[in-house]
Amino acid sequence: MATPSGKTSTPTPLASKRAAPRDPSSEVPSKRKSSAPPLPAGPFVEGSIVRIAMENFLTYDICEVCPGPHLNMIIGANGTGKSSIVCAICLGLAGKPAFMGRADKVGFFVKRGCSKGMIEIELFRTSGNLVITREIDVAKNQSSWFINKKSTTQKVVEEQVAALNIQVSNLCQFLPQDKVGEFAKLSKIELLEATEKSIGPPEMHRYHCELKNFREKEKQLETSCKEKTEYLEKMVQRNERYKQDVERFYERKRHLDLIEMLEAKRPWVEYENVRQEYEEVKLARDRVKDEVRKLKEGQIPMTRRIEDMETQRHNLEARIKAKATDIKETSQKCKQKQDIIERKDKHIEELQQALTVKQNEEHDRQRRISNTRKMIEDLQNELKTTENCVNLQPQIDAITNDLRRVQDKKELCEGEIIDKHKERETLEKEKKSVNDQIVQFDNLMNQKEDKLRQRYRDTYDAVLWLRNNRDKFKQGVYEPIMLTINMKDNKNAKYIENHIPSNDLRAFVFESQEDMEVFLKEVRDNKKLRVNTVIAPKSSYADRAPSRSLNELKQYGFFSYLRELFDAPAPVMSYLCCQYHIHEVPVGTERTRERIERVIQETRLKQMYTAEEKYVVKTSFYSNKVISSNTSLKVAQFLTVTVDLEQRRHLEEHLKEVNRKLRAVESGLIALRERNKHLEYEDNELRQKKKELLERKTKKRQLEQKISSKLGSLKLMEQDTCNLEEEERKANTRIKEINVQKAKLVTELTNLIKTCTSLHIQKVDLILQNTTVISEKNKLESDYMAASSQLRSTEQHFIELDESRQRLLQKCKELMKRARQVCNLTAEQNIPQEYQTQVPTIPNGHNSSPPMAFQDLPNTLDEIDALLTEERSRASCFTGLNPTVVDEYTKREEEIVQLTEELKIKKVELDKYRENISQVKERWLNPLKELVEKINEKFSSFFSSMQCAGEVDLHTENEEDYDKYGIRIRVKFRSSTLLHELTPHHQSGGERSVSTMLYLMALQELNRCPFRVVDEINQGMDPINERRVFEMVVNTACKENTSQYFFITPKLLQNLPYSEKMTVLFVYNGPHMLEPNKWNLKAFQRRRRRITFTQPSQ
């Protein structure tokens, strides 16, 4: 947020930053886009910045800044985001990220944790404001550009920005915080170039560049003219020396001409001899070619018959396989029926046994009733003889009831103790079994961990740390993939290890970016361990179906996709499916390798595995051809040990539950033993009391009790009757029903056996048919091999004849080429008519002939050789002549003429360049001197006001070296010293900052750029210089008709002068910032005005 301000201003939030979660001190709201204040009053210069909007950029979530047309002072503590606004201006106006000195990639300027960022800058134009939007994609490190909400390119944006004379790469216009020190490092030449671009007329820098180019060309032309003049004089002198040798040469040439004619005819004679031999070989080759064609045509029906046989064999094998499947299913059904019949027999046997038990129980009951009646009769007889006694029965009955109650409790307690002992024994056995299973798992897991420790010690140490610190993570964290993967079959481990790189096999898998950062900070940064980490996709890929069903691929020998070969946690499986497409890569057998060409053409799979090889298939982008490559599979090293981690986890949980139950059982046993001890004591007391009463009780009472007891038992036995006839009838009825069911099952079993027998017969018939087809196919293949042998022999003869023909043809061509070379004719050039004679036909289809002059020369090789010897002897009489002398002489004559013309052209061109230099120099140098004088005047004035001295002049060592011109700044901060040139080493940091700031202020009134940015240049100044510089900035930047000015600083001195034309921009950041939806600038301003208006009345 920006507000116009004079000497006092109301602090208003500019923007807020959102820190990472779990840091309440920095969780502050982001500023709303709609809360921009009205534009400050005052005219904007063409190209000035009206509005800056940022989203997910460096420290900002959402921020919008509206600067004023004159001086904009941006104030805020370090780290609040002042320089972020400078970065937004640079990048939003198509500046390079490296110019900021912070990062070389634009993606690094997006707020951490965000995938995209946005910068929007609105520039003032009288014809309508220009809105430039840059959207940054972190993943691709690319930007999307928009002008007035319409998509465009970076080049168009750069052209629009350049048209407004905005140069974010010019330190005289745009001086970011990290580049302040580099301004003093600018050479005089670089400073001149930056000043020309910044405040000079548009054509000034162009004239300077033209002068440098013209001067370079002038130097080149002067050097060239001098070299050519010297070379021409040497050439003329040399030709005069060789003139007599040239005349003698032509006397010898007459003899050499005849030799040349003879040598020219000789290849033509050789060629004609070879051509005749070629024609004979060609006729023989054509005859053999016809014979090969006839043999190939005879093989076509045989090949088709073999293919038909192969198709028939495949069909029969498929039918045999289908019959085998039907037989297997029918046999399983027979087995099921037999099992049901056996269960029925067992049920009948159980019914018969139950009836026999009931009969035995009834006979036993009758016997016991008879015995009880006899006992009662004996006791009654004995009772008649017993005398009467005192009735103690009520007391005995009461004690007996108490004793029975205690005994019941005791029996119940003892039963519970026995149950607890049994439960403890069961739990201890279960605990031992679970421990044994865990030990087995640990032994297997230790094997995998030992391999990990031996190969990747840092990863192993990180696993140990993770197991002890899982409470530090919010979501799931999985150990290295090689430990979490569990192969269903060890022999398939080689496919997984060859498909997944070792870097990912030893990588930890995270479900949360935040957890991964915590892990890396502890393990990689603090413990210095080299580990790999990956993040599982947010949306699961683990259950995605392959693009092609496995059933479609089984015909090629594929039996599974990679994903189905192993088990793994869902996030790990999801990552592997997303990254390596394991749900799309099938695994085949040796059968797949045998027909791999067909597999590649028909399936269009990109990757596949056979028994021992991996195939990768690509399609050429240019020719659309399918290109495949295969590599042998490496032996598996890590995944050969199978450990089901999920089952081990369940066992550990089960062990904890068993231990908990054991502790509960032990606690219960202790309580039951205490309770049983108390009941034992109570039982002993009751028994003692009962014993005393029973001693007092008479024998008569004992007898009466026995009689009563026996009568009760007799009554119970008489009531417990059983109807054996009814039980026998029910059992027989149930047995008959089961027998009916057995008969039905036997019938069904018989039908299934008949069906299975029929299927076996059909299968045998199909096997016989398949054997017949294979026999016929083998016979045809034998015949085909014999015919192929004859064909190969004939083809070999054809190849030999064709090679002979090619050899003769090549020799004819070489002889023809040699003959043409002798006649100085190219392959495309026709022989002139005056040299032509009878035209023979040559093997390559062209027409050619020896020159007509050949008719007067001999026509045989012997005659030609004899005449050649004679002419060579005559030519050898002219000794001491060098043929190259004539060539050199002729070439030098031509060069002399050519150099004379070139020298004349170069001198004209040099005069033209000198004239252009004179004109351009006058248009460039005079305005430049005036411009430097104006800068010097302002610069010296600023230094004088600070009781110091400064001077700016145009410096060069040679007036004609336009690339050596530069601006020299000389300063003096103490009266006792002389003026010294501003360098990175001579002056202090504060003196360099003051000099830089005053030079930029000297450019301000002369500047034709729409705005200027200076970031924290006052950091190295002492308070006196800082105050003076600030006053100059305010006075200069707040004048009429000056460009916009951005002055960034983290602090200010007290009681500084301000101007009504200034705009003060405060950057706030802290834990008590208002939420965006709660901040309303207009409401805040209205409340502020009401407070201001009401204060005087109070």
Side-chain angles (χ1 to χ4, degrees):
M1 180 67 63
T3 58
S5 173
K7 290 190 176 181
T8 60
S9 63
T10 302
T12 307
L14 168 64
S16 64
K17 301 186 290 185
R18 194 178 303 280
R22 303 176 66 87
D23 187 3
S25 65
S26 62
E27 290 183 357
V28 296
S30 301
K31 179 190 152 308
R32 295 178 298 168
K33 289 185 177 180
S34 60
S35 62
L39 295 176
F44 279 88
V45 177
E46 187 84 1
S48 296
I49 298 176
V50 176
R51 180 175 58 87
I52 306 168
M54 294 165 282
E55 184 174 342
N56 297 331
F57 184 78
L58 288 177
T59 58
Y60 296 108
D61 288 334
I62 297 176
C63 176
E64 187 172 282
V65 182
C66 296
H70 297 291
L71 175 60
N72 293 274
M73 187 166 61
I74 302 177
I75 306 174
N78 289 329
T80 54
K82 303 183 301 302
S83 296
S84 299
I85 300 174
V86 178
C87 294
I89 295 174
C90 178
L91 297 180
L93 296 177
K96 304 298 181 184
F99 177 72
M100 304 302 302
R102 290 194 173 195
D104 56 351
K105 293 183 179 179
V106 71
F108 292 153
F109 288 86
V110 176
K111 187 172 183 180
R112 187 175 183 181
C114 299
S115 61
K116 289 186 177 180
M118 186 275 291
I119 307 168
E120 186 171 275
I121 296 181
E122 183 176 352
L123 302 176
F124 177 79
R125 285 196 313 188
T126 53
S127 59
N129 286 3
L130 179 69
V131 180
I132 299 174
T133 307
R134 181 175 191 171
E135 294 182 356
I136 304 171
D137 190 325
V138 176
K140 299 179 180 178
N141 193 39
Q142 294 179 351
S143 299
S144 301
W145 294 91
F146 301 87
I147 292 181
N148 295 332
K149 305 301 181 182
K150 295 181 180 179
S151 180
T152 185
T153 63
Q154 183 174 350
K155 184 177 180 181
V156 174
V157 173
E158 290 173 349
E159 291 173 354
Q160 293 280 359
V161 170
L164 294 172
N165 198 33
I166 298 174
Q167 306 166 21
V168 292
S169 61
N170 190 341
L171 294 181
C172 288
Q173 179 178 347
F174 197 92
L175 192 60
Q177 178 181 353
D178 297 321
K179 294 287 184 176
V180 170
E182 293 188 12
F183 186 89
K185 298 179 183 179
L186 289 177
S187 66
K188 295 187 285 293
I189 298 172
E190 292 171 338
L191 184 59
L192 172 61
E193 184 176 351
T195 304
E196 286 178 339
K197 292 179 180 178
S198 177
I199 65 172
E203 65 276 4
M204 178 176 286
H205 182 64
R206 178 168 54 83
Y207 286 156
H208 191 184
C209 294
E210 288 179 1
L211 274 175
K212 289 189 283 187
N213 293 333
F214 286 158
R215 176 56 182 162
E216 187 66 27
K217 289 291 180 95
E218 182 186 17
K219 290 179 180 179
Q220 294 174 1
L221 287 172
E222 287 176 348
T223 304
S224 177
C225 288
K226 182 179 179 181
E227 291 174 353
K228 287 184 182 295
T229 302
E230 294 175 353
Y231 185 64
L232 180 60
E233 292 175 355
K234 292 179 181 179
M235 296 283 284
V236 172
Q237 294 173 2
R238 189 177 300 173
N239 259 18
E240 288 296 328
R241 290 197 301 268
Y242 291 106
K243 187 174 182 180
Q244 293 180 356
D245 292 339
V246 172
E247 292 175 353
R248 293 183 65 241
F249 173 80
Y250 284 108
E251 294 180 10
R252 179 172 174 265
K253 191 174 184 307
R254 285 193 298 271
H255 297 286
L256 296 178
D257 287 343
L258 182 57
I259 295 173
E260 184 179 357
M261 295 297 291
L262 291 169
E263 290 176 345
K265 183 172 182 178
R266 195 176 192 285
W268 291 101
V269 176
E270 291 178 344
Y271 161 75
E272 183 61 24
N273 295 336
V274 175
R275 186 188 67 80
Q276 292 176 1
E277 184 181 356
Y278 164 81
E279 293 294 342
E280 294 173 0
V281 173
K282 181 181 178 184
L283 290 174
R285 189 206 65 152
D286 292 341
R287 287 194 299 272
V288 176
K289 183 177 181 181
D290 292 337
E291 186 177 350
V292 170
R293 179 180 55 78
K294 291 177 182 178
L295 288 173
K296 286 183 177 180
E297 291 175 353
Q299 279 188 329
I300 292 175
M302 195 179 300
T303 304
R304 291 177 179 170
R305 179 62 178 160
I306 291 173
E307 291 176 353
D308 294 340
M309 287 290 183
E310 182 67 17
T311 302
Q312 187 176 356
R313 183 179 70 81
H314 282 302
N315 294 335
L316 287 172
E317 287 180 351
R319 292 173 62 189
I320 290 169
K321 187 175 181 180
K323 291 298 180 185
T325 303
D326 294 340
I327 290 170
K328 183 178 179 182
E329 293 176 353
T330 307
S331 299
Q332 290 177 350
K333 291 180 181 178
C334 290
K335 181 67 171 60
Q336 293 173 358
K337 296 296 181 183
Q338 289 175 350
D339 293 342
I340 295 173
I341 292 172
E342 290 177 358
R343 289 197 295 271
K344 295 294 182 184
D345 290 337
K346 187 175 181 181
H347 192 187
I348 291 173
E349 184 179 350
E350 290 174 353
L351 290 173
Q352 291 173 347
Q353 290 177 354
L355 180 61
T356 302
V357 169
K358 289 182 180 180
Q359 290 174 346
N360 293 335
E361 289 177 351
E362 180 63 21
H363 293 155
D364 184 64
R365 187 181 69 84
Q366 294 295 335
R367 181 180 57 76
R368 285 188 285 107
I369 289 173
S370 176
N371 291 336
T372 303
R373 285 175 178 172
K374 185 177 179 181
M375 290 176 65
I376 292 172
E377 185 178 354
D378 292 340
L379 290 171
Q380 287 176 347
N381 293 332
E382 185 178 357
L383 180 61
K384 291 178 182 180
T385 60
T386 305
E387 61 181 0
N388 294 328
C389 65
V390 180
N391 189 9
L392 300 174
Q393 189 62 37
Q395 298 179 25
I396 295 173
D397 291 342
I399 293 174
T400 301
N401 290 334
D402 292 341
L403 185 62
R404 187 180 296 112
R405 177 179 56 78
V406 172
Q407 288 176 345
D408 290 342
K409 290 181 180 180
K410 184 179 178 183
E411 289 176 0
L412 181 62
C413 183
E414 289 175 349
E416 290 180 0
I417 290 173
I418 293 171
D419 291 340
K420 290 291 183 180
H421 278 292
K422 290 180 179 179
E423 184 178 359
R424 184 175 65 180
E425 291 175 359
T426 302
L427 288 172
E428 287 177 347
K429 290 179 180 179
E430 186 175 357
K431 178 180 178 181
K432 184 177 182 302
S433 175
V434 173
N435 276 326
D436 292 342
Q437 294 181 48
I438 291 176
V439 169
Q440 293 177 2
F441 276 108
D442 288 341
N443 291 336
L444 294 174
M445 194 65 187
N446 288 338
Q447 295 179 22
K448 296 182 77 173
E449 291 178 2
D450 286 342
K451 291 183 178 181
L452 178 66
R453 177 174 54 80
Q454 294 170 6
R455 186 71 179 272
Y456 307 111
R457 184 55 188 251
D458 285 1
T459 305
Y460 176 76
D461 293 341
V463 170
L464 299 181
W465 181 88
L466 175 64
R467 291 174 180 173
N468 297 326
N469 296 274
R470 285 192 175 274
D471 56 336
K472 295 185 178 182
F473 303 101
K474 298 179 180 178
Q475 299 186 30
V477 180
Y478 299 89
E479 293 182 359
I481 294 176
M482 67 172 63
L483 298 182
T484 57
I485 280 181
N486 183 45
M487 299 301 303
K488 296 180 181 177
D489 191 342
N490 292 345
K491 67 182 181 181
N492 295 326
K494 60 184 178 181
Y495 302 118
I496 305 303
E497 289 196 21
N498 279 271
H499 191 73
I500 304 173
S502 60
N503 283 341
D504 268 9
L505 280 176
R506 61 189 178 97
F508 294 80
V509 181
F510 293 82
E511 295 185 35
S512 165
Q513 176 75 25
E514 182 180 352
D515 286 345
M516 186 177 77
E517 291 177 357
V518 172
F519 179 81
L520 291 177
K521 183 177 180 181
E522 291 290 339
V523 174
R524 185 179 289 174
D525 298 343
N526 295 344
K527 295 184 175 294
K528 307 301 181 183
L529 298 179
R530 293 175 294 178
V531 296
N532 295 339
T533 59
V534 296
I535 296 181
K538 292 183 179 178
S539 58
S540 178
Y541 286 75
D543 299 328
R544 292 199 177 183
S547 58
R548 298 189 63 173
S549 171
L550 185 62
N551 293 330
E552 299 178 16
L553 302 177
K554 285 184 177 179
Q555 58 177 317
Y556 305 108
F558 293 109
F559 63 87
S560 175
Y561 283 101
L562 287 178
R563 180 178 61 185
E564 279 67 40
L565 298 180
F566 64 91
D567 295 322
V572 176
M573 186 70 78
S574 176
Y575 169 77
L576 295 177
C577 288
C578 175
Q579 187 69 20
Y580 297 106
H581 307 287
I582 58 174
H583 63 297
E584 295 283 0
V585 179
V587 181
T589 59
E590 190 65 26
R591 178 183 170 195
T592 308
R593 189 189 65 79
E594 293 174 355
R595 55 185 65 185
I596 190 63
E597 293 184 1
R598 179 183 167 196
V599 172
I600 292 173
Q601 292 176 358
E602 295 181 3
T603 62
R604 296 293 182 178
L605 292 169
K606 295 182 179 179
Q607 293 186 68
M608 68 195 81
Y609 287 87
T610 62
E612 297 296 335
E613 293 178 327
K614 174 183 178 181
Y615 286 83
V616 179
V617 182
K618 297 180 181 179
T619 302
S620 174
F621 180 78
Y622 300 99
S623 61
N624 205 28
K625 291 183 179 179
V626 176
I627 303 171
S628 65
S629 62
N630 64 307
T631 54
S632 299
L633 298 181
K634 298 178 182 178
V635 179
Q637 297 180 3
F638 300 106
L639 303 181
T640 53
V641 179
T642 301
V643 180
D644 191 343
L645 295 179
E646 187 66 20
Q647 185 177 355
R648 188 186 187 283
R649 187 179 62 80
H650 287 312
L651 287 173
E652 289 179 346
E653 293 177 356
H654 189 194
L655 181 61
K656 292 179 181 178
E657 182 65 21
V658 169
N659 289 329
R660 186 189 62 78
K661 289 180 179 179
L662 276 172
R663 290 193 295 272
V665 168
E666 289 295 337
S667 176
L669 276 174
I670 294 172
L672 287 172
R673 289 192 185 104
E674 290 294 327
R675 181 182 174 192
N676 188 50
K677 184 178 180 182
H678 177 73
L679 291 173
E680 184 74 26
Y681 176 77
E682 188 177 354
D683 179 73
N684 291 334
E685 286 185 347
L686 290 172
R687 286 180 183 276
Q688 184 64 30
K689 290 180 181 179
K690 184 177 180 181
K691 182 178 179 182
E692 294 173 357
L693 290 173
L694 287 174
E695 289 176 353
R696 293 170 57 192
K697 185 173 175 62
T698 62
K699 188 175 180 180
K700 179 180 179 180
R701 186 59 182 166
Q702 293 176 354
L703 293 172
E704 289 176 352
Q705 184 177 4
K706 288 182 179 179
I707 292 171
S708 177
S709 176
K710 294 298 181 181
L711 288 173
S713 299
L714 179 63
K715 185 177 180 180
L716 291 173
M717 285 187 290
E718 288 175 347
Q719 290 176 353
D720 188 15
T721 61
C722 178
N723 191 346
L724 291 176
E725 294 179 356
E726 180 65 22
E727 292 296 330
E728 289 178 0
R729 185 185 64 78
K730 289 180 180 179
N732 291 332
T733 301
R734 182 59 182 155
I735 291 171
K736 287 179 181 179
E737 292 176 356
I738 294 173
N739 285 329
V740 171
Q741 295 174 2
K742 279 178 59 181
K744 184 178 179 181
L745 290 170
V746 170
T747 303
E748 293 177 355
L749 178 61
T750 304
N751 293 334
L752 288 172
I753 293 172
K754 291 179 180 179
T755 303
C756 187
T757 304
S758 175
L759 289 172
H760 275 290
I761 294 171
Q762 294 175 12
K763 179 181 176 183
V764 171
D765 183 51
L766 290 173
I767 291 173
L768 291 174
Q769 294 179 27
N770 189 37
T771 305
T772 304
V773 170
I774 291 173
S775 177
E776 293 178 3
K777 176 174 172 287
N778 291 338
K779 185 176 181 302
L780 284 172
E781 287 178 345
S782 178
D783 296 341
Y784 179 81
M785 293 298 293
S788 297
S789 178
Q790 183 182 357
L791 176 61
R792 285 194 297 272
S793 176
T794 308
E795 285 178 340
Q796 182 63 31
H797 187 205
F798 170 78
I799 291 170
E800 291 173 356
L801 288 173
D802 190 62
E803 288 176 352
S804 179
R805 183 192 68 83
Q806 292 287 349
R807 187 172 60 256
L808 290 171
L809 176 60
Q810 184 63 30
K811 189 173 181 180
C812 286
K813 289 181 179 179
E814 290 174 356
L815 291 172
M816 173 61 74
K817 181 179 179 182
R818 180 183 170 191
R820 285 181 170 274
Q821 288 176 348
V822 172
C823 295
N824 295 326
L825 298 175
T826 62
E828 297 80 11
Q829 187 177 1
N830 294 324
I831 299 175
Q833 184 65 33
E834 58 269 19
Y835 293 105
Q836 291 184 2
T837 181
Q838 183 181 359
V839 180
T841 302
I842 60 175
N844 61 5
H846 295 86
N847 292 329
S848 182
S849 67
M852 192 171 183
F854 292 169
Q855 294 179 358
D856 299 330
L857 299 177
N859 294 320
T860 64
L861 291 176
D862 294 337
E863 292 175 349
I864 290 173
D865 291 339
L867 187 56
L868 272 173
T869 303
E870 181 182 350
E871 290 299 323
R872 285 171 181 163
S873 298
R874 292 178 180 177
S876 63
C877 295
F878 295 92
T879 59
L881 295 178
N882 189 354
T884 58
V885 172
V886 178
D887 296 336
E888 293 177 358
Y889 180 86
T890 305
K891 290 179 181 178
R892 278 194 293 271
E893 285 289 336
E894 294 174 355
E895 276 189 71
I896 288 170
V897 175
Q898 184 179 353
L899 281 173
T900 303
E901 292 297 326
E902 290 179 0
L903 188 58
K904 186 186 297 183
I905 294 171
K906 292 287 184 183
K907 288 181 178 179
V908 173
E909 189 176 358
L910 179 59
D911 293 338
K912 183 178 179 181
Y913 268 105
R914 286 172 176 168
E915 183 180 355
N916 290 337
I917 289 174
S918 177
Q919 294 174 358
V920 175
K921 179 180 179 181
E922 184 178 354
R923 290 196 295 267
W924 170 73
L925 189 57
N926 293 336
L928 177 61
K929 289 181 178 179
E930 293 177 2
L931 183 64
V932 173
E933 184 61 32
K934 292 179 181 178
I935 296 172
N936 179 51
E937 181 181 350
K938 296 289 183 182
F939 188 75
S940 300
S941 175
F942 290 148
F943 260 87
S944 297
S945 64
M946 296 176 61
Q947 287 79 46
C948 299
E951 181 181 284
V952 177
D953 61 0
L954 187 63
H955 178 266
T956 183
E957 296 178 358
N958 185 357
E959 187 176 352
E960 300 300 326
D961 292 337
Y962 303 107
D963 55 344
K964 304 296 183 182
Y965 274 78
I967 288 182
R968 180 174 59 181
I969 300 176
R970 295 192 299 168
V971 295
K972 182 177 71 170
F973 288 89
R974 286 167 289 279
S975 59
S976 60
T977 61
L978 299 176
L979 286 170
H980 286 282
E981 185 175 346
L982 180 64
T983 64
H985 312 292
H986 191 275
Q987 289 80 14
S988 65
E991 291 173 348
R992 290 198 301 271
S993 297
V994 171
S995 302
T996 301
M997 194 65 187
L998 294 184
Y999 184 79
L1000 295 178
M1001 292 309 303
L1003 301 182
Q1004 178 68 12
E1005 294 184 4
L1006 304 174
N1007 198 0
R1008 59 183 185 86
C1009 63
F1011 65 86
R1012 186 185 309 282
V1013 177
V1014 179
D1015 188 1
E1016 296 192 18
I1017 198 171
N1018 59 334
Q1019 288 303 293
M1021 299 182 189
D1022 58 73
I1024 296 175
N1025 286 335
E1026 183 177 355
R1027 183 177 299 276
R1028 291 172 178 173
V1029 169
F1030 185 82
E1031 291 176 0
M1032 294 179 191
V1033 171
V1034 173
N1035 295 333
T1036 304
C1038 293
K1039 291 181 179 180
E1040 293 293 336
N1041 300 323
T1042 57
S1043 59
Q1044 195 177 32
Y1045 202 98
F1046 290 88
F1047 184 80
I1048 293 89
T1049 179
K1051 49 86 178 180
L1052 285 176
L1053 300 174
Q1054 295 181 356
N1055 301 320
L1056 291 174
Y1058 295 90
S1059 171
E1060 292 294 333
K1061 294 182 180 180
M1062 288 176 59
T1063 300
V1064 182
L1065 306 171
F1066 294 92
V1067 183
Y1068 287 153
N1069 175 32
H1072 304 295
M1073 295 291 291
L1074 287 177
E1075 294 290 339
N1077 56 2
K1078 296 179 180 180
W1079 175 256
N1080 189 323
L1081 179 61
K1082 294 182 179 179
F1084 174 79
Q1085 290 174 334
R1086 286 196 299 270
R1087 289 196 300 270
R1088 183 64 183 174
R1089 292 192 191 99
R1090 285 199 299 270
I1091 293 172
T1092 304
F1093 293 153
T1094 56
Q1095 281 178 351
S1097 61
Q1098 294 175 355

